[in-house]
Structures are given as C-alpha cells and as structure tokens.
Amino acid sequence: MKLDVDVLRYLSKDDFRVLTAVELGMRNHEIVPIELIDRIARLKHGGTYKVLKNLLKHKLLHHDSSKYDGFRLTYLGYDFLAIKTMVNKGVFVAVGRQIGVGKESDIFEVATEDGTVLAMKLHRLGRVSFRAVKSKRDYLRHRSSYNWLYLSRLAALKEFAFMKALETHGFPVPQAIEHNRHCVIMSLVQGYPFVQVKQLQNPETVFETIIGIIIRLAEHGLIHCDFNEFNIMIDDEEKITVIDFPQMVSVSHRNAKMYFDRDVECIFKFFRKRFNMSFQESIDDNDDSDKGKNEAGKLCFSSIDKSAGVLDKELAASGFSKKDDEDIQRFIECEVETDTNSDSEEDVDLASNLNEADDLNVDSLHLSEQDC
Ligand code: ADP
Ligand code: MG
C-alpha cells in the first residue's frame, strides 16, 4: 500500500477536524451522514462540504450515497490521523520506505528528530470481515467489533501492551515506544526475517534459543500462537528477536495446548527442512495426550512450570483490559473459523454481539481541540 505522506503537509486544521469528525461518527455509523459530520466538526466558518471534497480527492475518505449521502474513513484516512497525532507528539518527524507487508498490517520506517530510525506498524485487522459484512448492516446500533477501526486499534493496543510486558521480563522483542489508534511505533530490528536465512553458523544454538523462548513464554503464562520463521528476526550475530503479538493467548486458554504444540512444531519443521537438522523422538510417558503430536517429547505443555504467571499487572498498566482481549480473541478465532465462508450470517451475529456495553450516543459527540 502506498503511503504518500506529502499530502499531510497540504492538509489544513479544518481538514483534520472534519476527518476526525468522520472517525467519531464511525463509532455508530459505518457510513457517516454528511449532516452528522457537519454537526460534530462545527467548523467556525462552515464549508464542511468543501473540506469533504478535498479529503475525498486525497483518498482519505470514501463517499457512499447508496442509502443516504455519507462518508467513511479509508485506511489511508485512519493512517493520517494516527500519523498526525504521533508527529504532533514529537514521536517521529518523517515516514520512510515500507519494510514489511503482513496479512493484516503494513510496516514502514519512520525517523525521529535526531535521525533515529524506528518501525511503524499499521494494523489492518478486520479488513476481510469488514468487507464481508459491509453490505449487510449500516447503522450500528451497538458499537460493533467487526468495525475495522475498532479491531485494528485493539490489535495495536494488544501488541503494544504485550511487547512492553515482554521487554520488561527480558524477552528479546522490539522496544515498544508509542501507540495511537491502529499504529504501533517500536524500535527497528536490525536483521532479517528468519525465513530468508539459508545458512546458520550455529544452528543448534539458534534452535535452542528459539525453543527456550517458547518455553519461557509458557512459564510466564503466554503462548505466541504464530511463532514461526516469519515472526522471528535474526541478525548477523545470529541474535534472535521475536515480533508480532496480537494473537498471543494465555496458557489458560481452552486451546492452549494445541497452540503451544503448533508453535513448537513449526520450529522443528523449519529447522528440519531448512538446516537438515534431525531430532530424536522421545515422548514423555507421563503425558499420553502428547504422544505423536509433538516431536520434542520433553516439550510437553503439561510438564512446563507455569507458576511465573501471566503478565497481568504489566498488561493492565498498558491499558489493555481482559475485555479487550476477549473481543480481539473472539474476532481472531471467528475469522479463522469463517475463513472459507466469510459472508455468513453467523459472522455478522457474533460480531454484532461483541462490545455492546460500549454503545455511544452520537448526538452528544463533539470535537475538542485535542481531538484534532
Ligand atoms: P503481520 O502481523 O502483518 O505478520 P509483522 O509484525 O509480522 O506483521 O511484520 C511483518 C514484517 O515486517 C516482518 O516479517 C518484518 O520483516 C517486518 N517488521 C516488523 N516489525 C519490524 C521491526 N520492529 N523491525 C524491523 N522489521 C520489522
Ligand atoms: Mg507476522
């Protein structure tokens, strides 16, 4: 995705006020009626329609007149709001090249005032499901979790909270620097995705380090759930950094053992195929259920001492609540299950039940100076 931030320079205060008004309106409307945008933005000298046309020209908004005249944010519009807020806070001053494209994220380099280069991850969670349910329901009586803004923001918040907590406990993860909306700023990892590496000087050491991280995570009450060669970075000294945390679960999750085994198996499989490593099968007799599933018999989920506990305190300190986690987890699981049938009514119903407590009265919305 192209991110032409030059446009940022040409946007006025009124442009951002109207863009923010659309964002607020989207808490209750998929397409925000023009009159509502005008009412929320309350431009001093009027002219909301002209501003909307300008934002549309720069592809920051999408116009929809199928049921009534209205607008919604595009990903680019949401990106701009987050970037503008971060720039205003002095987190970074420039956006550079794109360094990664994930299924549900885009990653760019950004530079701080003193020239330090950081990584900016823009979450795009809900992209697929949003499309699937788009035509089915417009006015969102309840602020619904299938709203991609909400989901992407939750993913960013979760990623930030976990990265910070893991860093505090000495895990090799990027340094979490800041988050806003669907955007996370973190240190730039020097090195390459492990998937690109064809040879290692010390494959055994690297293997042990990686498996050691999976075990230590479980001891701290956590499972990565997407622990594979795409989410491990390695540098020239063969130092490992783990990335990508929105899907992490607690060891008390009902499918914890399956997720844990899957993470372990991914690593075994990769080392076997890529580095021709062979592993002795030794199944832990104490745990029949692990038989044949996990090549590393000693790596039985049930035999890991998880008494170090979930990093609850650290996560709560980052503003990430249990309810946020339930919402995002339900979405991720729902998305996996409905991957082949993403247009089902079931999908819509599950999504619309989520987060009902957060219903918002649109008429009381108005912008403060801080919002823009
Ligand atoms: P996704 O959730 O979409 O898979 P990831 O967090 O795995 O996103 O990032 C996708 C890619 O972006 C990674 O494989 C890596 O190449 C790059 N990347 C992500 N974070 C960083 C970082 N902090 N430093 C350097 N590269 C990164
Ligand atoms: Mg990834």
Side-chain angles (χ1 to χ4, degrees), residues 231-371:
N231 290 326
I232 295 170
M233 306 283 286
I234 185 162
D235 69 7
D236 290 332
E237 267 73 58
E238 304 195 338
K239 183 179 166 288
I240 296 296
T241 308
V242 183
I243 58 168
D244 203 358
F245 311 100
Q247 67 295 319
M248 284 186 86
V249 300
S250 152
V251 288
S252 56
H253 188 281
R254 65 185 190 290
N255 296 326
K257 185 177 152 359
M258 185 268 284
Y259 289 137
F260 177 86
D261 285 347
R262 195 177 63 186
D263 278 359
V264 171
E265 286 295 339
C266 273
I267 299 305
F268 271 85
K269 204 167 148 194
F270 185 67
F271 273 82
R272 214 181 319 117
K273 278 199 165 163
R274 182 66 59 92
F275 307 112
N276 285 323
M277 280 175 68
S278 54
F279 303 99
Q280 223 188 351
E281 307 239 353
S282 69
I283 305 299
D284 185 347
D285 289 331
N286 297 328
D287 189 351
D288 278 357
S289 58
D290 278 327
K291 264 188 190 161
K293 286 189 185 156
N294 184 342
E295 280 188 83
K298 290 192 194 102
L299 274 170
C300 283
F301 181 62
S302 52
S303 59
I304 292 176
D305 174 9
K306 306 172 190 82
S307 56
V310 186
L311 310 176
D312 277 340
K313 228 183 350 174
E314 289 84 351
L315 297 178
S318 300
F320 186 69
S321 70
K322 277 221 154 69
K323 179 172 181 312
D324 288 337
D325 202 25
E326 279 161 24
D327 274 3
I328 195 167
Q329 208 51 46
R330 269 178 90 173
F331 170 75
I332 289 172
E333 282 165 17
C334 163
E335 195 184 43
V336 171
E337 280 160 25
T338 56
D339 231 8
T340 50
N341 183 24
S342 58
D343 212 18
S344 72
E345 281 298 335
E346 222 175 288
D347 198 5
V348 179
D349 286 345
L350 172 64
S352 64
N353 282 334
L354 297 174
N355 213 28
E356 292 192 357
D358 269 340
D359 203 7
L360 236 148
N361 179 2
V362 178
D363 291 335
S364 68
L365 290 177
H366 58 267
L367 285 178
S368 68
E369 280 302 313
Q370 257 184 340
D371 286 325

Side-chain angles (χ1 to χ4, degrees), residues 151-164:
L151 286 165
S152 303
R153 187 175 65 71
L154 266 194
L157 179 60
K158 179 168 180 180
E159 177 136 87
F160 184 85
F162 275 70
M163 219 172 353
K164 237 189 149 68

Side-chain angles (χ1 to χ4, degrees), residues 80 120 329:
F80 271 37
M120 169 173 76
Q329 208 51 46

Side-chain angles (χ1 to χ4, degrees), residues 36-254:
L36 183 60
I37 300 171
D38 187 48
R39 223 162 55 226
I40 300 172
R42 295 199 292 194
L43 296 187
K44 275 200 189 103
H45 307 291
T48 303
Y49 197 74
K50 208 170 136 217
V51 174
L52 283 168
K53 261 173 66 181
N54 187 41
L55 296 173
L56 190 64
K57 190 179 88 188
H58 292 302
K59 299 191 167 58
L60 304 177
L61 292 179
H62 172 81
H63 183 211
D64 190 317
S65 54
S66 53
K67 287 184 195 140
Y68 51 82
D69 226 3
F71 291 83
R72 67 163 168 82
L73 282 180
T74 58
Y75 285 113
L76 191 63
Y78 202 39
D79 294 348
F80 271 37
L81 285 171
I83 290 170
K84 170 91 166 150
T85 306
M86 299 266 203
V87 169
N88 284 353
K89 276 184 168 176
V91 181
F92 59 84
V93 294
V95 179
R97 68 190 179 103
Q98 183 159 12
I99 49 171
V101 195
K103 190 170 68 145
E104 291 183 303
S105 77
D106 290 304
I107 290 112
F108 295 84
E109 282 181 351
V110 292
T112 65
E113 185 131 48
D114 69 5
T116 310
V117 180
L118 304 170
M120 169 173 76
K121 180 165 175 178
L122 296 164
H123 284 266
R124 313 270 186 226
L125 204 73
R127 185 152 38 188
V128 185
S129 287
F130 171 62
R131 285 208 197 102
V133 295
K134 187 161 112 70
S135 58
K136 300 201 170 180
R137 193 174 295 179
D138 185 19
Y139 176 67
L140 311 178
R141 231 165 27 84
H142 302 294
R143 182 177 146 211
S144 162
S145 284
Y146 68 70
N147 183 329
W148 57 266
L149 262 82
Y150 174 69
L151 286 165
S152 303
R153 187 175 65 71
L154 266 194
L157 179 60
K158 179 168 180 180
E159 177 136 87
F160 184 85
F162 275 70
M163 219 172 353
K164 237 189 149 68
L166 292 172
E167 187 193 338
T168 308
H169 286 263
F171 284 91
V173 297
Q175 188 193 351
I177 292 168
E178 188 66 81
H179 70 97
N180 181 267
R181 297 180 171 86
H182 62 323
C183 173
V184 177
I185 305 295
M186 61 187 120
S187 61
L188 184 75
V189 180
Q190 303 300 333
Y192 344 83
F194 197 29
V195 67
Q196 290 173 10
V197 175
K198 302 278 181 264
Q199 259 185 331
L200 286 173
Q201 281 174 328
N202 303 298
E204 283 84 12
T205 314
V206 175
F207 173 79
E208 271 162 33
T209 306
I210 292 175
I211 290 294
I213 295 171
I214 298 184
I215 296 175
R216 214 154 68 77
L217 277 174
E219 286 168 353
H220 281 79
L222 296 170
I223 302 165
H224 186 284
C225 287
D226 201 11
F227 205 98
N228 55 43
E229 62 275 20
F230 297 94
N231 290 326
I232 295 170
M233 306 283 286
I234 185 162
D235 69 7
D236 290 332
E237 267 73 58
E238 304 195 338
K239 183 179 166 288
I240 296 296
T241 308
V242 183
I243 58 168
D244 203 358
F245 311 100
Q247 67 295 319
M248 284 186 86
V249 300
S250 152
V251 288
S252 56
H253 188 281
R254 65 185 190 290

